[in-house]
Amino acid sequence: MLIDEASAAKISFLDCDDAAGRALEALRLGLLGIVLRPQPGLTSVAEIAAAQGAVVLPHAPPALDLADSRASRRLQAWLGG
């Protein structure tokens, strides 16, 4: 199932870029969140994911880059504190 980014805030995602086979492998391993770039196989992968209770996003949701020198100041707000 395709969902919006706000709904995906509590799910860990594996970014599979455009590799539908890698996305299917991740689903087989039990991952609940997949990022798969739009391509012909996206709909099929999304249907398989939905049947397993997983979600597929067409692009990565916002993330906190911990390598950024300002990350430690933004971490508390990112975690909702």
Side-chain angles (χ1 to χ4, degrees):
M1 105 181 86
L2 295 170
I3 63 170
D4 61 43
E5 291 175 6
S7 301
K10 304 285 184 200
I11 300 173
S12 296
F13 285 85
L14 176 65
D15 192 336
C16 297
D17 192 36
D18 63 354
R22 181 66 65 192
L24 291 171
E25 179 182 18
L27 291 170
R28 197 172 322 122
L29 292 171
L31 273 77
L32 296 178
I34 303 294
V35 177
L36 184 62
R37 303 294 180 265
Q39 57 167 302
L42 177 63
T43 303
S44 297
V45 173
E47 289 171 358
I48 292 167
Q52 297 179 354
V55 295
V56 176
L57 295 179
H59 55 83
L64 178 62
D65 180 1
L66 295 176
D68 185 328
S69 62
R70 297 165 294 177
S72 62
R73 290 184 292 237
R74 298 189 342 232
L75 181 59
Q76 187 171 5
W78 180 264
L79 295 174

Short mmCIF file of all heavy atoms in Angstrom, two decimals:
data_model
loop_
_atom_site.label_atom_id
_atom_site.label_comp_id
_atom_site.label_asym_id
_atom_site.label_seq_id
_atom_site.Cartn_x
_atom_site.Cartn_y
_atom_site.Cartn_z
N MET A 1 0.85 -1.17 0.00
CA MET A 1 0.00 0.00 0.00
C MET A 1 0.89 1.23 0.00
O MET A 1 1.92 1.25 0.66
CB MET A 1 -0.94 -0.08 1.19
CG MET A 1 -0.65 0.81 2.36
SD MET A 1 -1.79 0.65 3.74
CE MET A 1 -1.05 -0.70 4.60
N LEU A 2 0.54 2.23 -0.73
CA LEU A 2 1.26 3.50 -0.73
C LEU A 2 0.64 4.39 0.33
O LEU A 2 -0.58 4.50 0.40
CB LEU A 2 1.18 4.16 -2.10
CG LEU A 2 1.87 3.41 -3.24
CD1 LEU A 2 1.51 4.04 -4.57
CD2 LEU A 2 3.35 3.39 -3.03
N ILE A 3 1.47 5.00 1.16
CA ILE A 3 0.96 5.88 2.21
C ILE A 3 1.69 7.20 2.17
O ILE A 3 2.73 7.33 1.54
CB ILE A 3 1.10 5.24 3.61
CG1 ILE A 3 2.57 5.02 3.97
CG2 ILE A 3 0.34 3.95 3.69
CD1 ILE A 3 2.80 4.63 5.41
N ASP A 4 1.16 8.18 2.89
CA ASP A 4 1.84 9.46 2.95
C ASP A 4 2.94 9.42 4.01
O ASP A 4 2.99 8.55 4.85
CB ASP A 4 0.85 10.61 3.21
CG ASP A 4 0.12 10.46 4.52
OD1 ASP A 4 0.76 10.11 5.54
OD2 ASP A 4 -1.10 10.69 4.55
N GLU A 5 3.85 10.39 3.94
CA GLU A 5 5.00 10.41 4.84
C GLU A 5 4.61 10.57 6.30
O GLU A 5 5.24 9.98 7.18
CB GLU A 5 5.96 11.51 4.42
CG GLU A 5 6.63 11.22 3.11
CD GLU A 5 7.50 12.35 2.62
OE1 GLU A 5 7.69 13.33 3.36
OE2 GLU A 5 7.99 12.24 1.49
N ALA A 6 3.59 11.33 6.59
CA ALA A 6 3.18 11.53 7.98
C ALA A 6 2.75 10.21 8.62
O ALA A 6 3.05 9.94 9.78
CB ALA A 6 2.06 12.55 8.06
N SER A 7 2.07 9.37 7.86
CA SER A 7 1.63 8.08 8.38
C SER A 7 2.79 7.11 8.56
O SER A 7 2.69 6.15 9.30
CB SER A 7 0.62 7.44 7.42
OG SER A 7 -0.50 8.28 7.27
N ALA A 8 3.90 7.38 7.89
CA ALA A 8 5.04 6.47 7.92
C ALA A 8 6.08 6.84 8.97
O ALA A 8 7.12 6.22 9.06
CB ALA A 8 5.70 6.45 6.54
N ALA A 9 5.78 7.80 9.81
CA ALA A 9 6.77 8.34 10.75
C ALA A 9 7.34 7.30 11.72
O ALA A 9 8.46 7.43 12.16
CB ALA A 9 6.18 9.51 11.52
N LYS A 10 6.59 6.29 12.07
CA LYS A 10 7.04 5.31 13.06
C LYS A 10 7.53 4.00 12.45
O LYS A 10 7.76 3.04 13.16
CB LYS A 10 5.90 5.00 14.04
CG LYS A 10 5.34 6.21 14.73
CD LYS A 10 6.28 6.70 15.80
CE LYS A 10 5.62 7.86 16.53
NZ LYS A 10 6.49 8.69 17.24
N ILE A 11 7.71 3.95 11.14
CA ILE A 11 8.14 2.73 10.47
C ILE A 11 9.58 2.89 10.00
O ILE A 11 9.96 3.94 9.51
CB ILE A 11 7.23 2.44 9.25
CG1 ILE A 11 5.79 2.25 9.69
CG2 ILE A 11 7.72 1.21 8.49
CD1 ILE A 11 4.82 2.13 8.54
N SER A 12 10.39 1.85 10.14
CA SER A 12 11.74 1.84 9.58
C SER A 12 11.66 1.41 8.12
O SER A 12 10.97 0.45 7.80
CB SER A 12 12.63 0.88 10.36
OG SER A 12 12.77 1.30 11.68
N PHE A 13 12.38 2.12 7.26
CA PHE A 13 12.32 1.85 5.83
C PHE A 13 13.67 1.43 5.27
O PHE A 13 14.69 1.93 5.71
CB PHE A 13 11.86 3.11 5.07
CG PHE A 13 10.39 3.37 5.20
CD1 PHE A 13 9.90 4.07 6.29
CD2 PHE A 13 9.50 2.90 4.25
CE1 PHE A 13 8.54 4.30 6.43
CE2 PHE A 13 8.14 3.12 4.39
CZ PHE A 13 7.67 3.82 5.48
N LEU A 14 13.62 0.53 4.32
CA LEU A 14 14.80 0.16 3.54
C LEU A 14 14.65 0.80 2.18
O LEU A 14 13.65 0.57 1.48
CB LEU A 14 14.91 -1.36 3.40
CG LEU A 14 16.08 -1.83 2.52
CD1 LEU A 14 17.41 -1.47 3.17
CD2 LEU A 14 15.99 -3.32 2.28
N ASP A 15 15.63 1.62 1.79
CA ASP A 15 15.59 2.27 0.49
C ASP A 15 16.15 1.32 -0.55
O ASP A 15 17.34 1.00 -0.54
CB ASP A 15 16.39 3.57 0.51
CG ASP A 15 16.16 4.44 -0.70
OD1 ASP A 15 15.77 3.90 -1.76
OD2 ASP A 15 16.38 5.66 -0.60
N CYS A 16 15.30 0.85 -1.44
CA CYS A 16 15.69 -0.11 -2.48
C CYS A 16 15.96 0.57 -3.81
O CYS A 16 16.16 -0.12 -4.82
CB CYS A 16 14.60 -1.17 -2.63
SG CYS A 16 14.38 -2.15 -1.14
N ASP A 17 15.95 1.90 -3.85
CA ASP A 17 16.17 2.67 -5.06
C ASP A 17 15.21 2.19 -6.15
O ASP A 17 14.01 2.34 -5.99
CB ASP A 17 17.63 2.61 -5.51
CG ASP A 17 17.94 3.63 -6.58
OD1 ASP A 17 17.39 4.74 -6.53
OD2 ASP A 17 18.73 3.32 -7.48
N ASP A 18 15.70 1.59 -7.23
CA ASP A 18 14.80 1.10 -8.28
C ASP A 18 14.86 -0.42 -8.41
O ASP A 18 14.46 -0.99 -9.42
CB ASP A 18 15.13 1.77 -9.62
CG ASP A 18 16.53 1.44 -10.12
OD1 ASP A 18 17.30 0.78 -9.38
OD2 ASP A 18 16.86 1.84 -11.25
N ALA A 19 15.34 -1.11 -7.36
CA ALA A 19 15.52 -2.56 -7.40
C ALA A 19 14.29 -3.27 -6.83
O ALA A 19 14.20 -3.53 -5.63
CB ALA A 19 16.76 -2.96 -6.64
N ALA A 20 13.34 -3.59 -7.70
CA ALA A 20 12.11 -4.26 -7.26
C ALA A 20 12.42 -5.62 -6.64
O ALA A 20 11.78 -6.03 -5.66
CB ALA A 20 11.14 -4.41 -8.42
N GLY A 21 13.42 -6.32 -7.16
CA GLY A 21 13.80 -7.62 -6.60
C GLY A 21 14.30 -7.49 -5.17
O GLY A 21 13.98 -8.30 -4.30
N ARG A 22 15.07 -6.44 -4.90
CA ARG A 22 15.56 -6.18 -3.54
C ARG A 22 14.39 -5.85 -2.63
O ARG A 22 14.35 -6.27 -1.47
CB ARG A 22 16.58 -5.05 -3.57
CG ARG A 22 17.17 -4.69 -2.23
CD ARG A 22 18.02 -5.78 -1.63
NE ARG A 22 19.18 -6.00 -2.46
CZ ARG A 22 20.00 -7.03 -2.35
NH1 ARG A 22 19.79 -7.93 -1.42
NH2 ARG A 22 21.01 -7.17 -3.15
N ALA A 23 13.43 -5.10 -3.12
CA ALA A 23 12.25 -4.77 -2.32
C ALA A 23 11.46 -6.02 -1.97
O ALA A 23 11.03 -6.19 -0.82
CB ALA A 23 11.37 -3.78 -3.08
N LEU A 24 11.30 -6.92 -2.92
CA LEU A 24 10.59 -8.18 -2.66
C LEU A 24 11.35 -9.04 -1.65
O LEU A 24 10.76 -9.67 -0.78
CB LEU A 24 10.35 -8.94 -3.95
CG LEU A 24 9.36 -8.29 -4.92
CD1 LEU A 24 9.37 -9.01 -6.26
CD2 LEU A 24 7.97 -8.25 -4.32
N GLU A 25 12.67 -9.03 -1.75
CA GLU A 25 13.49 -9.77 -0.78
C GLU A 25 13.30 -9.20 0.63
O GLU A 25 13.15 -9.95 1.60
CB GLU A 25 14.96 -9.68 -1.19
CG GLU A 25 15.89 -10.38 -0.24
CD GLU A 25 17.35 -10.23 -0.64
OE1 GLU A 25 17.69 -9.33 -1.44
OE2 GLU A 25 18.16 -11.03 -0.14
N ALA A 26 13.28 -7.89 0.74
CA ALA A 26 13.08 -7.24 2.03
C ALA A 26 11.71 -7.60 2.61
O ALA A 26 11.59 -7.86 3.82
CB ALA A 26 13.23 -5.73 1.90
N LEU A 27 10.69 -7.63 1.77
CA LEU A 27 9.37 -8.01 2.23
C LEU A 27 9.36 -9.47 2.70
O LEU A 27 8.76 -9.79 3.72
CB LEU A 27 8.34 -7.81 1.12
CG LEU A 27 8.04 -6.35 0.76
CD1 LEU A 27 7.21 -6.28 -0.50
CD2 LEU A 27 7.36 -5.65 1.91
N ARG A 28 10.05 -10.32 1.97
CA ARG A 28 10.13 -11.73 2.34
C ARG A 28 10.81 -11.90 3.71
O ARG A 28 10.50 -12.80 4.47
CB ARG A 28 10.91 -12.50 1.28
CG ARG A 28 10.72 -13.99 1.34
CD ARG A 28 11.34 -14.72 0.15
NE ARG A 28 11.19 -14.02 -1.11
CZ ARG A 28 12.23 -13.65 -1.89
NH1 ARG A 28 13.46 -13.92 -1.55
NH2 ARG A 28 12.01 -13.03 -3.01
N LEU A 29 11.74 -11.00 4.02
CA LEU A 29 12.44 -11.04 5.31
C LEU A 29 11.63 -10.41 6.44
O LEU A 29 12.05 -10.44 7.59
CB LEU A 29 13.80 -10.35 5.19
CG LEU A 29 14.82 -11.07 4.32
CD1 LEU A 29 16.03 -10.20 4.09
CD2 LEU A 29 15.20 -12.39 4.96
N GLY A 30 10.49 -9.81 6.11
CA GLY A 30 9.61 -9.28 7.12
C GLY A 30 9.68 -7.78 7.36
O GLY A 30 9.07 -7.28 8.31
N LEU A 31 10.40 -7.04 6.53
CA LEU A 31 10.44 -5.59 6.71
C LEU A 31 9.06 -5.00 6.42
O LEU A 31 8.35 -5.47 5.54
CB LEU A 31 11.46 -4.95 5.77
CG LEU A 31 12.88 -4.90 6.34
CD1 LEU A 31 13.53 -6.26 6.25
CD2 LEU A 31 13.68 -3.87 5.61
N LEU A 32 8.71 -3.97 7.17
CA LEU A 32 7.38 -3.37 7.02
C LEU A 32 7.39 -2.08 6.20
O LEU A 32 6.33 -1.53 5.91
CB LEU A 32 6.78 -3.09 8.39
CG LEU A 32 6.50 -4.32 9.24
CD1 LEU A 32 5.95 -3.91 10.59
CD2 LEU A 32 5.54 -5.25 8.52
N GLY A 33 8.57 -1.58 5.86
CA GLY A 33 8.65 -0.34 5.10
C GLY A 33 9.69 -0.43 4.00
O GLY A 33 10.83 -0.80 4.23
N ILE A 34 9.28 -0.08 2.79
CA ILE A 34 10.14 -0.13 1.61
C ILE A 34 10.04 1.20 0.89
O ILE A 34 8.95 1.76 0.76
CB ILE A 34 9.67 -1.24 0.64
CG1 ILE A 34 9.64 -2.60 1.32
CG2 ILE A 34 10.52 -1.26 -0.62
CD1 ILE A 34 10.96 -3.14 1.74
N VAL A 35 11.18 1.70 0.42
CA VAL A 35 11.20 2.83 -0.50
C VAL A 35 11.61 2.28 -1.84
O VAL A 35 12.65 1.63 -1.97
CB VAL A 35 12.20 3.93 -0.05
CG1 VAL A 35 12.25 5.05 -1.06
CG2 VAL A 35 11.83 4.46 1.33
N LEU A 36 10.74 2.46 -2.84
CA LEU A 36 11.01 1.97 -4.19
C LEU A 36 10.66 3.07 -5.18
O LEU A 36 9.51 3.52 -5.23
CB LEU A 36 10.19 0.71 -4.46
CG LEU A 36 10.44 0.01 -5.79
CD1 LEU A 36 11.88 -0.48 -5.90
CD2 LEU A 36 9.48 -1.17 -5.96
N ARG A 37 11.65 3.52 -5.93
CA ARG A 37 11.43 4.60 -6.89
C ARG A 37 10.36 4.19 -7.90
O ARG A 37 10.26 3.02 -8.27
CB ARG A 37 12.72 4.91 -7.65
CG ARG A 37 13.90 5.28 -6.80
CD ARG A 37 13.69 6.62 -6.08
NE ARG A 37 14.85 6.94 -5.26
CZ ARG A 37 14.95 6.65 -3.97
NH1 ARG A 37 14.00 6.05 -3.34
NH2 ARG A 37 16.03 6.98 -3.29
N PRO A 38 9.56 5.15 -8.36
CA PRO A 38 8.52 4.85 -9.35
C PRO A 38 9.12 4.16 -10.58
O PRO A 38 10.12 4.60 -11.12
CB PRO A 38 7.95 6.22 -9.71
CG PRO A 38 8.19 7.04 -8.48
CD PRO A 38 9.52 6.55 -7.95
N GLN A 39 8.48 3.07 -10.96
CA GLN A 39 8.91 2.26 -12.09
C GLN A 39 7.77 1.31 -12.43
O GLN A 39 6.80 1.21 -11.67
CB GLN A 39 10.17 1.48 -11.74
CG GLN A 39 9.96 0.61 -10.51
CD GLN A 39 11.06 -0.41 -10.33
OE1 GLN A 39 11.28 -1.21 -11.21
NE2 GLN A 39 11.72 -0.34 -9.19
N PRO A 40 7.85 0.56 -13.51
CA PRO A 40 6.76 -0.35 -13.87
C PRO A 40 6.41 -1.37 -12.79
O PRO A 40 5.26 -1.72 -12.63
CB PRO A 40 7.28 -1.03 -15.14
CG PRO A 40 8.22 -0.05 -15.75
CD PRO A 40 8.87 0.64 -14.58
N GLY A 41 7.36 -1.85 -12.00
CA GLY A 41 7.08 -2.86 -10.99
C GLY A 41 6.56 -2.33 -9.67
O GLY A 41 6.21 -3.11 -8.78
N LEU A 42 6.45 -1.02 -9.51
CA LEU A 42 6.06 -0.44 -8.23
C LEU A 42 4.68 -0.90 -7.78
O LEU A 42 4.48 -1.27 -6.62
CB LEU A 42 6.11 1.08 -8.29
CG LEU A 42 5.66 1.83 -7.03
CD1 LEU A 42 6.57 1.49 -5.86
CD2 LEU A 42 5.64 3.32 -7.27
N THR A 43 3.71 -0.92 -8.67
CA THR A 43 2.35 -1.30 -8.30
C THR A 43 2.29 -2.73 -7.80
O THR A 43 1.65 -3.03 -6.79
CB THR A 43 1.39 -1.10 -9.48
OG1 THR A 43 1.46 0.26 -9.89
CG2 THR A 43 -0.03 -1.44 -9.10
N SER A 44 2.98 -3.64 -8.48
CA SER A 44 2.98 -5.05 -8.06
C SER A 44 3.62 -5.21 -6.69
O SER A 44 3.11 -5.93 -5.83
CB SER A 44 3.73 -5.91 -9.08
OG SER A 44 3.08 -5.87 -10.31
N VAL A 45 4.75 -4.54 -6.47
CA VAL A 45 5.42 -4.62 -5.16
C VAL A 45 4.53 -4.03 -4.09
O VAL A 45 4.41 -4.58 -2.99
CB VAL A 45 6.80 -3.92 -5.21
CG1 VAL A 45 7.42 -3.85 -3.82
CG2 VAL A 45 7.73 -4.64 -6.17
N ALA A 46 3.86 -2.92 -4.38
CA ALA A 46 2.97 -2.29 -3.41
C ALA A 46 1.80 -3.21 -3.05
O ALA A 46 1.39 -3.27 -1.89
CB ALA A 46 2.45 -0.96 -3.95
N GLU A 47 1.29 -3.95 -4.01
CA GLU A 47 0.19 -4.89 -3.74
C GLU A 47 0.66 -6.04 -2.85
O GLU A 47 -0.05 -6.44 -1.92
CB GLU A 47 -0.37 -5.42 -5.05
CG GLU A 47 -1.16 -4.40 -5.84
CD GLU A 47 -1.53 -4.87 -7.24
OE1 GLU A 47 -1.14 -6.00 -7.62
OE2 GLU A 47 -2.20 -4.09 -7.95
N ILE A 48 1.84 -6.55 -3.12
CA ILE A 48 2.40 -7.63 -2.30
C ILE A 48 2.66 -7.11 -0.89
O ILE A 48 2.36 -7.78 0.11
CB ILE A 48 3.69 -8.19 -2.94
CG1 ILE A 48 3.33 -8.91 -4.24
CG2 ILE A 48 4.43 -9.11 -1.98
CD1 ILE A 48 4.52 -9.24 -5.11
N ALA A 49 3.20 -5.90 -0.79
CA ALA A 49 3.46 -5.30 0.52
C ALA A 49 2.16 -5.13 1.30
O ALA A 49 2.10 -5.45 2.50
CB ALA A 49 4.16 -3.95 0.34
N ALA A 50 1.13 -4.64 0.66
CA ALA A 50 -0.15 -4.43 1.33
C ALA A 50 -0.72 -5.74 1.87
O ALA A 50 -1.27 -5.78 2.97
CB ALA A 50 -1.15 -3.77 0.38
N ALA A 51 -0.56 -6.81 1.12
CA ALA A 51 -1.05 -8.11 1.56
C ALA A 51 -0.33 -8.60 2.80
O ALA A 51 -0.87 -9.39 3.58
CB ALA A 51 -0.90 -9.13 0.43
N GLN A 52 0.88 -8.09 3.02
CA GLN A 52 1.68 -8.47 4.19
C GLN A 52 1.60 -7.43 5.31
O GLN A 52 2.27 -7.57 6.32
CB GLN A 52 3.14 -8.66 3.79
CG GLN A 52 3.36 -9.78 2.82
CD GLN A 52 4.82 -9.93 2.43
OE1 GLN A 52 5.67 -9.13 2.80
NE2 GLN A 52 5.11 -10.98 1.71
N GLY A 53 0.83 -6.37 5.10
CA GLY A 53 0.73 -5.31 6.11
C GLY A 53 1.90 -4.35 6.08
O GLY A 53 2.12 -3.60 7.02
N ALA A 54 2.67 -4.35 4.99
CA ALA A 54 3.81 -3.45 4.83
C ALA A 54 3.41 -2.27 3.94
O ALA A 54 2.35 -2.29 3.32
CB ALA A 54 4.99 -4.20 4.22
N VAL A 55 4.27 -1.27 3.88
CA VAL A 55 4.00 -0.09 3.07
C VAL A 55 5.16 0.17 2.13
O VAL A 55 6.31 -0.19 2.40
CB VAL A 55 3.73 1.17 3.93
CG1 VAL A 55 2.49 1.00 4.75
CG2 VAL A 55 4.91 1.47 4.82
N VAL A 56 4.85 0.83 1.01
CA VAL A 56 5.85 1.22 0.02
C VAL A 56 5.72 2.72 -0.22
O VAL A 56 4.62 3.21 -0.44
CB VAL A 56 5.65 0.45 -1.30
CG1 VAL A 56 6.63 0.93 -2.36
CG2 VAL A 56 5.79 -1.05 -1.08
N LEU A 57 6.83 3.41 -0.15
CA LEU A 57 6.87 4.84 -0.48
C LEU A 57 7.66 5.03 -1.77
O LEU A 57 8.65 4.33 -2.00
CB LEU A 57 7.56 5.63 0.63
CG LEU A 57 6.88 5.69 1.99
CD1 LEU A 57 7.73 6.51 2.95
CD2 LEU A 57 5.49 6.27 1.88
N PRO A 58 7.25 5.97 -2.62
CA PRO A 58 7.97 6.21 -3.87
C PRO A 58 9.25 7.05 -3.68
O PRO A 58 10.06 7.16 -4.58
CB PRO A 58 6.96 6.95 -4.74
CG PRO A 58 6.05 7.61 -3.76
CD PRO A 58 6.00 6.71 -2.55
N HIS A 59 9.41 7.64 -2.51
CA HIS A 59 10.65 8.38 -2.19
C HIS A 59 10.85 8.35 -0.68
O HIS A 59 9.91 8.14 0.08
CB HIS A 59 10.62 9.81 -2.73
CG HIS A 59 9.43 10.60 -2.29
ND1 HIS A 59 9.38 11.23 -1.08
CD2 HIS A 59 8.24 10.83 -2.89
CE1 HIS A 59 8.20 11.83 -0.95
NE2 HIS A 59 7.49 11.60 -2.04
N ALA A 60 12.08 8.53 -0.26
CA ALA A 60 12.42 8.42 1.16
C ALA A 60 11.74 9.52 1.98
O ALA A 60 11.69 10.68 1.55
CB ALA A 60 13.93 8.49 1.34
N PRO A 61 11.24 9.17 3.15
CA PRO A 61 10.67 10.19 4.04
C PRO A 61 11.79 11.04 4.64
O PRO A 61 12.97 10.67 4.55
CB PRO A 61 9.96 9.36 5.12
CG PRO A 61 10.64 8.05 5.12
CD PRO A 61 11.13 7.83 3.71
N PRO A 62 11.45 12.17 5.24
CA PRO A 62 12.48 13.01 5.87
C PRO A 62 13.25 12.21 6.91
O PRO A 62 12.70 11.34 7.58
CB PRO A 62 11.68 14.13 6.54
CG PRO A 62 10.36 14.13 5.87
CD PRO A 62 10.11 12.72 5.41
N ALA A 63 14.53 12.51 7.01
CA ALA A 63 15.38 11.81 7.98
C ALA A 63 16.32 12.82 8.64
O ALA A 63 16.62 13.87 8.09
CB ALA A 63 16.19 10.74 7.28
N LEU A 64 16.78 12.47 9.82
CA LEU A 64 17.76 13.28 10.52
C LEU A 64 19.14 12.75 10.17
O LEU A 64 19.45 11.59 10.45
CB LEU A 64 17.53 13.20 12.04
CG LEU A 64 18.54 13.98 12.89
CD1 LEU A 64 18.49 15.46 12.58
CD2 LEU A 64 18.27 13.73 14.36
N ASP A 65 19.95 13.57 9.54
CA ASP A 65 21.30 13.17 9.15
C ASP A 65 22.22 13.37 10.35
O ASP A 65 22.59 14.48 10.70
CB ASP A 65 21.76 14.02 7.96
CG ASP A 65 23.16 13.67 7.49
OD1 ASP A 65 23.78 12.74 8.06
OD2 ASP A 65 23.62 14.31 6.53
N LEU A 66 22.59 12.28 10.99
CA LEU A 66 23.42 12.37 12.20
C LEU A 66 24.85 12.79 11.90
O LEU A 66 25.59 13.13 12.82
CB LEU A 66 23.38 11.04 12.95
CG LEU A 66 22.01 10.67 13.50
CD1 LEU A 66 22.05 9.30 14.16
CD2 LEU A 66 21.51 11.71 14.49
N ALA A 67 25.26 12.77 10.63
CA ALA A 67 26.59 13.25 10.27
C ALA A 67 26.63 14.77 10.20
O ALA A 67 27.71 15.36 10.23
CB ALA A 67 27.00 12.65 8.93
N ASP A 68 25.49 15.40 10.17
CA ASP A 68 25.41 16.86 10.14
C ASP A 68 25.87 17.40 11.49
O ASP A 68 25.46 16.91 12.55
CB ASP A 68 23.96 17.28 9.87
CG ASP A 68 23.80 18.78 9.70
OD1 ASP A 68 24.54 19.56 10.33
OD2 ASP A 68 22.91 19.18 8.93
N SER A 69 26.71 18.42 11.48
CA SER A 69 27.25 18.98 12.73
C SER A 69 26.16 19.57 13.63
O SER A 69 26.36 19.70 14.83
CB SER A 69 28.30 20.05 12.42
OG SER A 69 27.70 21.12 11.70
N ARG A 70 25.01 19.91 13.08
CA ARG A 70 23.92 20.47 13.88
C ARG A 70 22.93 19.42 14.36
O ARG A 70 21.95 19.73 15.02
CB ARG A 70 23.17 21.52 13.07
CG ARG A 70 24.07 22.71 12.68
CD ARG A 70 23.43 23.52 11.62
NE ARG A 70 23.40 22.65 10.41
CZ ARG A 70 22.86 22.98 9.27
NH1 ARG A 70 22.27 24.13 9.13
NH2 ARG A 70 22.87 22.15 8.25
N ALA A 71 23.17 18.16 14.05
CA ALA A 71 22.22 17.10 14.36
C ALA A 71 21.97 16.96 15.86
O ALA A 71 20.84 16.74 16.27
CB ALA A 71 22.69 15.76 13.79
N SER A 72 23.00 17.09 16.66
CA SER A 72 22.80 16.91 18.11
C SER A 72 21.85 17.96 18.67
O SER A 72 21.10 17.68 19.60
CB SER A 72 24.14 16.95 18.84
OG SER A 72 24.76 18.20 18.67
N ARG A 73 21.84 19.17 18.11
CA ARG A 73 20.91 20.21 18.58
C ARG A 73 19.49 19.94 18.12
O ARG A 73 18.54 20.34 18.77
CB ARG A 73 21.36 21.57 18.06
CG ARG A 73 22.65 22.06 18.72
CD ARG A 73 22.96 23.44 18.23
NE ARG A 73 23.31 23.37 16.81
CZ ARG A 73 24.45 23.81 16.30
NH1 ARG A 73 25.33 24.39 17.07
NH2 ARG A 73 24.71 23.70 15.04
N ARG A 74 19.34 19.23 17.00
CA ARG A 74 17.99 18.98 16.46
C ARG A 74 17.42 17.63 16.88
O ARG A 74 16.26 17.34 16.65
CB ARG A 74 18.06 19.08 14.93
CG ARG A 74 18.47 20.47 14.49
CD ARG A 74 18.36 20.75 13.02
NE ARG A 74 18.27 19.62 12.15
CZ ARG A 74 19.04 19.42 11.09
NH1 ARG A 74 19.98 20.26 10.80
NH2 ARG A 74 18.86 18.36 10.32
N LEU A 75 18.25 16.80 17.52
CA LEU A 75 17.83 15.45 17.85
C LEU A 75 16.62 15.42 18.77
O LEU A 75 15.67 14.67 18.55
CB LEU A 75 19.00 14.68 18.47
CG LEU A 75 18.71 13.23 18.85
CD1 LEU A 75 18.28 12.44 17.63
CD2 LEU A 75 19.94 12.60 19.47
N GLN A 76 16.62 16.22 19.83
CA GLN A 76 15.50 16.20 20.78
C GLN A 76 14.18 16.57 20.09
O GLN A 76 13.17 15.91 20.29
CB GLN A 76 15.76 17.14 21.95
CG GLN A 76 14.70 17.02 23.01
CD GLN A 76 15.06 17.79 24.27
OE1 GLN A 76 16.06 18.48 24.32
NE2 GLN A 76 14.24 17.67 25.27
N ALA A 77 14.20 17.60 19.26
CA ALA A 77 12.98 17.99 18.54
C ALA A 77 12.58 16.90 17.56
O ALA A 77 11.39 16.61 17.41
CB ALA A 77 13.21 19.31 17.79
N TRP A 78 13.56 16.26 16.91
CA TRP A 78 13.26 15.20 15.96
C TRP A 78 12.56 14.04 16.65
O TRP A 78 11.65 13.42 16.12
CB TRP A 78 14.56 14.72 15.31
CG TRP A 78 14.35 13.63 14.31
CD1 TRP A 78 14.46 12.30 14.53
CD2 TRP A 78 13.96 13.80 12.95
NE1 TRP A 78 14.18 11.61 13.38
CE2 TRP A 78 13.87 12.50 12.40
CE3 TRP A 78 13.68 14.89 12.16
CZ2 TRP A 78 13.51 12.28 11.07
CZ3 TRP A 78 13.34 14.67 10.84
CH2 TRP A 78 13.24 13.39 10.31
N LEU A 79 12.98 13.73 17.89
CA LEU A 79 12.39 12.64 18.64
C LEU A 79 11.08 13.02 19.32
O LEU A 79 10.46 12.20 19.97
CB LEU A 79 13.39 12.12 19.68
CG LEU A 79 14.66 11.49 19.09
CD1 LEU A 79 15.63 11.14 20.20
CD2 LEU A 79 14.31 10.27 18.26
N GLY A 80 10.69 14.26 19.15
CA GLY A 80 9.39 14.70 19.67
C GLY A 80 9.44 15.25 21.08
O GLY A 80 8.43 15.40 21.73
N GLY A 81 10.62 15.60 21.55
CA GLY A 81 10.75 16.07 22.93
C GLY A 81 10.87 17.54 23.06
O GLY A 81 10.88 18.38 22.29
#
